[in-house]
Amino acid sequence: MSNKCRRTKGLFNNSNSEEFITNLVKEIAATYDDEKGINHIDGNNLPNEYEVINIINHVMELIFPGYSEKKIYSKSLLVYNAGEITANLYVELYHQITRAMLYDLNEDCSQCELEEQALQSCQKVLSKLPKIREMMKADVIAAFDGDPAAKSLDEIILSYPGIKAIAIQRFAHELYHENIPFIPRMFTEYAHRLTGIDIHPGAHLGSGIFIDHGTGVVIGETARLGDNVKIYQGVTLGALSFPKDSCGKIIKGAKRHPTIENNVTIYSGATVLGNIVIGSGAIIGGNVWITDSVEPKAKITISSPELTIKTANKL
Amino acid sequence: MSNKCRRTKGLFNNSNSEEFITNLVKEIAATYDDEKGINHIDGNNLPNEYEVINIINHVMELIFPGYSEKKIYSKSLLVYNAGEITANLYVELYHQITRAMLYDLNEDCSQCELEEQALQSCQKVLSKLPKIREMMKADVIAAFDGDPAAKSLDEIILSYPGIKAIAIQRFAHELYHENIPFIPRMFTEYAHRLTGIDIHPGAHLGSGIFIDHGTGVVIGETARLGDNVKIYQGVTLGALSFPKDSCGKIIKGAKRHPTIENNVTIYSGATVLGNIVIGSGAIIGGNVWITDSVEPKAKITISSPELTIKTANKL
Amino acid sequence: MSNKCRRTKGLFNNSNSEEFITNLVKEIAATYDDEKGINHIDGNNLPNEYEVINIINHVMELIFPGYSEKKIYSKSLLVYNAGEITANLYVELYHQITRAMLYDLNEDCSQCELEEQALQSCQKVLSKLPKIREMMKADVIAAFDGDPAAKSLDEIILSYPGIKAIAIQRFAHELYHENIPFIPRMFTEYAHRLTGIDIHPGAHLGSGIFIDHGTGVVIGETARLGDNVKIYQGVTLGALSFPKDSCGKIIKGAKRHPTIENNVTIYSGATVLGNIVIGSGAIIGGNVWITDSVEPKAKITISSPELTIKTANKL
């Protein structure tokens, strides 16, 4: 008998293991029992992370055909490839939307009505795919024009995290507009995990957006970006304070993030907070902290770099 | 014969491939031979990353039942679901702890004693799971109360990276207290990879911790957080300098990170360094750099935002 | 029939699903048709992400034997283990290099010449593995000496993201020098995804580099680091501006990132921009923003922390 077997056997023969596990399971189960809190039992209707990631991969394959999957594409067979992915995506997305909608199910709405609504939302969102493809072309070209290290459009699609985060957010944004619970945020959090770029599905992105490096970028729910906006790593487009109701409770959904007009560049580490407007063509320097609106074409930088320099002689 | 086959065949028929590989393997093997350094050969006792990630997934499934796995939960069958996961987790964790402890095996300690110690540590850590579940409930509620974009508790569990990072760290912290090598840090580094949030397993976290967005957050080994602490992306709770012994060697383990009291909020990009105290209810503004203790209820912000603004007319 | 089956069936029986999918596929296919843009059809020669990640895992297993894979290593059998991985790596890398080179295939170059060139590049890069192992030893020791939280060299290899990012970049750097398209950047972007550390494959790294925590670190294409350089989370070694040609087009590849000499330490959140030199032994404080060269052994910090402090009494 191998050493490993002996020990595993011993684990249950010569110890209190069975008793320990039995008691622990009872204790854990008891914490599941009290209230809803953080369980999800008897519900069986939450979207499943594994399935949602599958859907994201299918969406990405339709947007960037031939890049991620192992399948060989040829123009003549293209319609079959795209067709198979689209048909699968249709069924998968419909099921996850139905699960998500069941969660919020209103007593007055029958299961049939809900399924009809889920189907309509599913079709509405998928019908945006050709438009999203056009948007992504502009994003890829913006990255190529904006980065001296970029060697080709294909390299950008294969290896630029900003492109991945933006593509996933553009699709999630359509789901968000259909008021589907859970799934839009699961989409963008998956993008966040892959890229370090955290764009809320509610944010509106114009055309030709370039996010370089991207780690640490945060773009809030009610932010609006115009066309040809460039953003570097560590930039936050956040809320300054949260509007509260008369009871002091935070009002969900109120406009509280910046509007960034066309052709704005925001350098690394800048923080832009509140429901303000950064005028078209403005340049926001690195590490700048802004809570007031900025005129079009203005250039904001940190004044004198307030540094203390001790040279070797004075050390 | 396909084009690909021909090429692969040619790779070994018409070239120096065999000779090249043989020589390269010899050279690589020679670098394994000299000293211990960065090999791990003949040891066979290091914890395995794949197994450790499995353990993390099982822990998460017990803490948030029904969220991640595909299994269907129902209240009546719950005890079986939780029981199966717990039993597997028990065996897996025991084996990895044993492997980790073998690494530090003292000559005076027999294999049997070590296994007994591993079993006790394993049980001690697992017995904390019900308490960790209670803590996580408070964390999820803190996130809901603190974020206007949050739509439901379930959405937070499904898609908030902070919750994932905190849950994994809370379990890792129990392993850390048992002085188990490797595994605690492998836990939190996996959370870091998923979320960009790097909390050392040694850090003490109070109840109701909310980390929003989270990318770039670093919380050091000897940091202590009280209850209801809110932390935003890019915050560092770090060391200012490293205490050294009389030979100039860094002293491992000395208290060198901040203590954050109850109800403190630290906004994005703030850096809090050294063994200082941030008093209860204090608010640390974004991008602030602090190396001295702060009074309770104090509010620290960057003074005047020292910016240079060039408007379009003056450009 | 289960509820789920009925619904899936209904999806195609009682609705316009077929018609919808057919039309959508036509629309999507039409967007594939117009130009090259963001498709990759009929090419079949782009490197495949899945295969490239496989290659990275094999490289890591050769550099750190016994750490990641489940295989049991023993000194006497080592040559077989290393040999098998090396042989597989050789074939896999050759194929992906060939695919990448086909992309840039010049009309004057026959397929045979290209394959010969791919083979030479593949061998040249692999022959650097023993040297890379030596470099990584120095990196691991630098991490141990630099971090009071580090318990052992093995812990660093198992759980320090900086080590992973640097090892992958060192190999990618060799591919970069062979002018292989796509693959070097796919390597470092995979490291970026795992660690939040974004080091361009073009960057030159000296010996004994330590990147702690690492999330948000960006090191540009033409940066040069000497020996024993320490870098903390959120540090950018970036470009200040992009040299342009007479037509205003960005010149690809020009030196535009900093040179960091030996024994320099750069603390968290510092931004170092442009083709400048940070002299040997200099210390760059946290959050510092630098666009001018720095003398050897100089110590740069943010002057007075310009903070506004409101204590509880004055609130």
Side-chain angles (χ1 to χ4, degrees), chain A residues 10 18 22 40 44 49 56-57 72-73 78 91 128 142 170 186 193 206 243 270 273 285 288:
Chain A
E18 276 184 30
T22 307
H40 195 72
N44 190 28
E49 189 183 26
I56 295 175
N57 288 332
I72 294 165
Y73 279 81
L78 184 64
V91 176
K128 300 290 169 62
R170 289 195 186 282
M186 291 171 85
R193 190 199 301 178
L273 297 184
V288 162

Side-chain angles (χ1 to χ4, degrees), chain B residues 3-4 6-8 11-12 14-18 20-21 24-29 31-44 46-51 103 176 181-182 185-186 189 192-194 196-198 200 215-218 220-221 236 240 242 249-253 256 269 271 273 287-290 295-304 306, chain C residues 61-70 72-76 78-79 82-83 86-87 90-91 94-95 98-99 102 111 115 119 122-124 126-127 129-130 133-134 136-137 140 144-155 157-161 164 193-195 212-215 230 232-233 267-268 285-287 302 305-313 315:
Chain B
N3 190 34
K4 194 184 162 188
R6 196 161 45 75
R7 271 191 279 155
T8 308
L11 202 52
F12 287 94
N14 312 314
S15 74
N16 65 339
S17 293
E18 276 184 32
F20 175 82
I21 292 173
L24 179 60
V25 172
K26 269 186 207 155
E27 271 183 72
I28 293 174
T31 74
Y32 293 166
D33 221 31
D34 47 0
E35 78 206 91
K36 188 136 190 284
I38 59 169
N39 315 316
H40 195 74
I41 295 156
D42 267 341
N44 190 27
L46 280 185
N48 176 275
E49 190 184 26
Y50 177 84
E51 302 286 347
Y103 178 85
Y176 176 90
F182 305 120
R185 190 70 189 253
M186 292 171 84
E189 180 49 31
H192 184 199
R193 188 199 301 178
L194 292 182
I197 300 169
D198 186 0
H200 195 283
T215 311
V217 165
V218 173
E221 182 177 21
T236 293
L240 185 58
F242 305 147
K249 278 264 168 192
I250 286 172
I251 302 170
K252 305 257 169 189
R256 60 197 183 279
T271 304
L273 298 185
N287 281 11
V288 162
W289 178 272
I290 289 199
E295 279 183 49
K297 295 197 184 166
K299 196 177 165 182
I300 315 281
T301 51
I302 295 175
S303 312
S304 49
E306 308 264 345
Chain C
E61 184 64 16
L62 284 176
I63 296 179
F64 301 116
Y67 286 96
S68 58
E69 291 269 319
K70 302 184 86 172
I72 295 165
Y73 279 81
S74 74
K75 249 182 198 152
S76 50
L78 184 64
V79 75
T86 307
Y90 183 85
V91 176
Y94 165 74
H95 276 129
T98 306
R99 291 178 77 159
L102 270 168
Q111 168 99 8
E115 289 177 10
L119 192 60
C122 175
Q123 293 193 357
K124 211 160 163 188
L126 288 177
S127 69
L129 272 171
R133 254 185 66 79
E134 292 307 314
M136 292 313 303
K137 279 188 195 177
V140 169
F144 185 75
D145 290 343
D147 181 13
K151 308 284 187 286
S152 66
L153 298 185
D154 288 298
E155 188 189 48
I157 296 167
L158 279 172
S159 59
Y160 275 51
K164 222 173 255 180
R193 190 199 300 177
L194 293 182
T195 66
D212 203 5
H213 308 299
T215 311
K230 269 194 231 182
Y232 288 83
Q233 69 270 20
Y267 285 104
S268 67
N287 281 11
I302 294 176
E306 306 264 345
L307 300 175
T308 302
I309 301 176
K310 290 185 191 165
T311 59
N313 298 334
L315 277 181

Side-chain angles (χ1 to χ4, degrees), chain B residues 14-308:
Chain B
N14 312 314
S15 74
N16 65 339
S17 293
E18 276 184 32
E19 192 190 333
F20 175 82
I21 292 173
T22 308
N23 286 335
L24 179 60
V25 172
K26 269 186 207 155
E27 271 183 72
I28 293 174
T31 74
Y32 293 166
D33 221 31
D34 47 0
E35 78 206 91
K36 188 136 190 284
I38 59 169
N39 315 316
H40 195 74
I41 295 156
D42 267 341
N44 190 27
N45 53 1
L46 280 185
N48 176 275
E49 190 184 26
Y50 177 84
E51 302 286 347
V52 167
I53 292 174
N54 243 343
I55 289 171
I56 295 175
N57 288 333
H58 283 152
V59 167
M60 293 297 279
E61 183 65 15
L62 283 176
I63 297 179
F64 301 116
Y67 285 95
S68 58
E69 291 268 318
K70 302 184 86 173
K71 284 168 195 161
I72 295 164
Y73 279 81
S74 73
K75 249 182 198 151
S76 50
L77 300 178
L78 183 65
V79 74
Y80 299 114
N81 292 315
E84 194 217 339
I85 296 173
T86 307
N88 283 331
L89 177 58
Y90 183 85
V91 177
E92 294 161 356
L93 185 61
Y94 166 74
H95 276 130
Q96 296 302 316
I97 291 177
T98 306
R99 291 178 77 159
M101 283 184 163
L102 271 168
Y103 178 85
D104 271 349
L105 187 58
N106 190 312
E107 295 276 320
D108 299 338
C109 178
S110 74
Q111 169 99 6
C112 263
E113 283 167 335
L114 178 140
E115 288 177 9
E116 186 51 38
Q117 209 184 316
L119 191 60
Q120 278 177 23
S121 287
C122 176
Q123 292 193 356
K124 211 161 162 187
V125 167
L126 289 176
S127 69
K128 300 291 170 60
L129 272 171
K131 194 197 74 184
I132 293 175
R133 255 186 66 80
E134 292 306 314
M135 300 289 277
M136 293 312 302
K137 280 188 195 179
D139 295 332
V140 169
I141 289 164
F144 185 74
D145 290 342
D147 180 12
K151 307 286 187 284
S152 66
L153 298 184
D154 288 298
E155 188 189 47
I156 289 164
I157 297 167
L158 280 171
S159 59
Y160 275 50
I163 291 299
K164 222 174 254 181
I166 292 169
I168 292 172
Q169 198 274 350
R170 290 194 186 283
F171 193 84
H173 186 62
E174 303 298 337
L175 291 161
Y176 176 90
H177 269 307
E178 291 296 310
N179 290 314
I180 296 159
F182 305 120
I183 306 178
R185 190 70 189 253
M186 292 171 84
F187 260 66
T188 56
E189 180 49 31
Y190 183 66
H192 184 199
R193 188 199 301 178
L194 292 182
T195 67
I197 300 169
D198 186 0
I199 316 176
H200 195 283
H204 171 90
L205 306 186
S207 168
I209 305 295
F210 176 36
I211 301 176
D212 203 5
H213 308 299
T215 311
V217 165
V218 173
I219 299 178
E221 182 177 21
T222 65
R224 289 188 65 84
L225 278 65
D227 300 337
N228 304 313
V229 170
K230 268 194 231 181
I231 289 176
Y232 288 83
Q233 69 270 19
V235 164
T236 293
L237 307 181
L240 185 58
S241 63
F242 305 147
K244 290 181 183 171
D245 64 19
S246 54
C247 310
K249 278 264 168 192
I250 286 172
I251 302 170
K252 305 257 169 189
K255 169 81 170 152
R256 60 197 183 279
H257 300 102
T259 295
I260 312 294
E261 295 186 345
N262 298 342
N263 304 307
V264 166
T265 298
I266 307 178
Y267 285 104
S268 67
T271 304
V272 183
L273 298 185
N275 185 13
I276 60 176
V277 177
I278 307 298
S280 70
I283 294 173
I284 310 296
N287 281 11
V288 162
W289 178 272
I290 289 199
T291 57
D292 293 303
S293 288
V294 166
E295 279 183 49
K297 295 197 184 166
K299 196 177 165 182
I300 315 281
T301 51
I302 295 175
S303 312
S304 49
E306 308 264 345
L307 300 175
T308 302

Side-chain angles (χ1 to χ4, degrees), chain C residues 152-227:
Chain C
S152 66
L153 298 185
D154 288 298
E155 188 189 48
I156 289 164
I157 296 167
L158 279 172
S159 59
Y160 275 51
I163 291 300
K164 222 173 255 180
I166 292 169
I168 293 172
Q169 198 273 349
R170 289 196 186 281
F171 193 85
H173 187 61
E174 303 298 337
L175 290 161
Y176 176 89
H177 269 307
E178 290 297 309
N179 290 313
I180 296 159
F182 306 121
I183 305 178
R185 189 70 188 255
M186 290 170 85
F187 260 67
T188 56
E189 180 49 31
Y190 183 65
H192 184 199
R193 190 199 300 177
L194 293 182
T195 66
I197 300 168
D198 186 1
I199 316 177
H200 195 284
H204 172 90
L205 305 187
S207 168
I209 304 295
F210 176 36
I211 300 176
D212 203 5
H213 308 299
T215 311
V217 165
V218 173
I219 299 178
E221 182 177 21
T222 65
R224 289 189 65 84
L225 278 66
D227 299 338

